[in-house]
Amino acid sequence: MSEPWSVGERGDTVIRVVLPAHLRTLARVDGEVHLEVAGPATQCSLLDALEARYPMLRGTIRDQRSGKRRAFVRFFACQQDLSHDPPQAPLPDAVASGAEPYLIVGAMAGG
């Protein structure tokens, strides 16, 4: 049984995204973000949709020139670290269907 957020108005996939607190503050959102993603649901298409809807996040999650993930940002879904997956790799089915959220997490460093 699909959830009401799994398909957008145009038939696009709607993905649930959980942002870290500092990016929620920057984007002025509370809780999960629901994003319509056209075409195949990949990390790249998801991040493109996120940055299009919240332009103030451009450059915070991935480098604007190279498009690569920033060093202290990690991606998780379905209890898996997706941070090193290729940008065009399909997201897990549970994320693409809206059953599970895609998590963007600020990594910790130190000693």
Side-chain angles (χ1 to χ4, degrees), residues 36-47:
E36 288 191 34
V37 176
T42 64
Q43 288 193 99
C44 186
S45 65
L46 170 68
L47 295 174

Side-chain angles (χ1 to χ4, degrees), residues 9-21:
E9 292 177 14
R10 299 174 300 177
D12 295 337
T13 302
V14 177
I15 297 177
R16 301 163 45 209
V17 179
V18 176
L19 296 169

Side-chain angles (χ1 to χ4, degrees), residues 16 22 38-39 57 61 65 79 81 84-86 88 93 97 99:
R16 301 163 45 209
H22 68 286
L57 296 179
I61 298 169
R65 286 189 209 170
Q79 300 179 356
D81 185 348
H84 298 289
D85 286 5
Q88 297 303 330
D93 290 340
S97 71

Side-chain angles (χ1 to χ4, degrees), residues 26-100:
L26 185 60
R28 297 187 182 117
V29 298
D30 291 320
E32 287 184 351
V33 174
H34 296 171
L35 296 171
E36 288 191 34
V37 176
T42 64
Q43 288 193 99
C44 186
S45 65
L46 170 68
L47 295 174
D48 288 347
L50 181 67
E51 291 173 347
R53 185 164 171 198
Y54 301 100
M56 67 285 288
L57 296 179
R58 286 187 187 128
T60 62
I61 298 169
R62 55 187 178 169
D63 183 88
Q64 287 186 343
R65 286 189 209 170
S66 69
K68 292 183 181 180
R69 173 183 58 84
R70 294 243 177 236
F72 292 101
V73 175
R74 305 293 291 214
F75 306 132
F76 293 91
C78 305
Q79 300 179 356
Q80 297 175 30
D81 185 348
L82 306 178
S83 303
H84 298 289
D85 286 5
Q88 297 303 330
L91 293 174
D93 290 340
V95 173
S97 71
E100 291 286 331

